[in-house]
Amino acid sequence: IFIPLLGLALALYFYSAPENFNEEMLRGKRVIVTGASSGIGEQVAYHLARMEAHLLLTARTEAKLQKVVERCLELGAASARYVSGSMEDTTFPAVVVREAENTWGGLDMLILNHIGYSYFNYFNGDVGQVRKLLETNFLSYVAMTVSALPMLKESEGSIVVVSSVAGKIGSPFAASYSATKFALEGFFSSLRHEFIIDKVNVSITLCILGYINTENAVRAISHVIRSTPAPKEECALEIIRSGALRQRELHYPPGAVGSLRYTLFFLSNLQEALK
Ligand code: NDP
């Protein structure tokens, strides 16, 4: 019990987080956004562009990234570029971070958001698929963090990790995905404690998201979850806000985890789908 209490005391003493969000906080900041070719990551990029940040975007599909970069420049980004590649490739995380280092010589915010494909159904016993998903959804997050940490320590910057309610509560049909999100929770919560004990002023924000209206999510689960998904644009803004305020966790939509009603509703809809 002593170590967590010591950590908390040190946190209160050394760690001063800003209280109010102001979009100017992001002006001129150097930000990497992963999974930025579509969905929430794309919206994060557009908000940051409006806020006049410098952007380095990444995902696999070059044609989509090109369009997102063009739009970011139209919206007012201080600069915008991309690196395309797959996070299944274990060398790629370091390539992305090196690009930031070569271009900017530093980094203020690392937004880890990408996910690989996972099916929404009974676990099919394919261990290889779980291993591949762990590489994309979890190990690449760790690798990017390791590569970016020297620059983030220098800037006293922020790491933002996009996770899910499925990383807090086990629910049917998402075993592999859920495992990767629980892994993020374990790793980054532990790392945050170490930063506090070690007086490393790099914040770690875990974003616990419920159902959001991205094309891929709606395609994958709208037949099972009938509730209205939350808007990806607002979700993206909340992700940036919580990172800038150096919050430990974002829950979006609000109460997505804590509300038992939401959880029961979610599970009862799944059971209906099983009939
Ligand atoms: P999308 O499927 O819309 O976007 C995923 C992004 O990841 C795309 O840019 C995709 O681009 C990229 N990507 C896919 N595979 C790889 C790969 N192997 N290597 C590198 N990049 C890859 O996802 P969402 O926007 O819906 O989700 C974003 C985050 O939010 C995820 O972490 C997700 O778990 C979380 N979340 C989303 C919820 C939702 O309801 N939408 C609910 C809970 C959490 P490309 O194909 O070009 O590589």
Side-chain angles (χ1 to χ4, degrees), residues 17-35:
E19 280 176 14
N20 297 313
F21 178 67
N22 178 337
E23 296 203 345
E24 295 203 348
M25 286 169 150
L26 276 305
R27 181 179 293 159
K29 296 292 184 203
R30 301 154 297 180
V31 187
I32 294 178
V33 185
T34 73

Side-chain angles (χ1 to χ4, degrees), residues 34-42 58-62 64-65 85-89 92 112-117 136-137 141 162-166 177 181 184 207-218 221 229 232 235 239 252:
T34 73
S37 65
S38 66
I40 296 165
E42 178 183 0
T58 183
R60 290 169 308 175
T61 319
E62 189 163 7
K64 286 193 197 168
L65 285 169
S86 175
M87 292 289 178
E88 266 177 46
D89 172 356
F92 188 61
L112 298 166
N113 162 77
H114 63 277
I115 42 165
Y117 171 76
T136 308
N137 292 10
Y141 281 46
V162 180
S163 189
S164 164
V165 173
Y177 173 78
K181 295 299 192 185
L184 289 175
C207 303
I208 312 301
L209 306 184
Y211 183 25
I212 314 296
N213 69 354
T214 65
E215 220 177 293
N216 285 340
V218 170
I221 55 177
K232 59 187 177 201
C235 175
I239 288 171
Y252 181 88

Side-chain angles (χ1 to χ4, degrees), residues 110-125:
L110 174 64
I111 302 185
L112 298 166
N113 162 77
H114 63 277
I115 42 165
Y117 171 76
S118 53
Y119 58 89
F120 190 74
N121 212 324
Y122 288 98
F123 176 54
N124 65 9

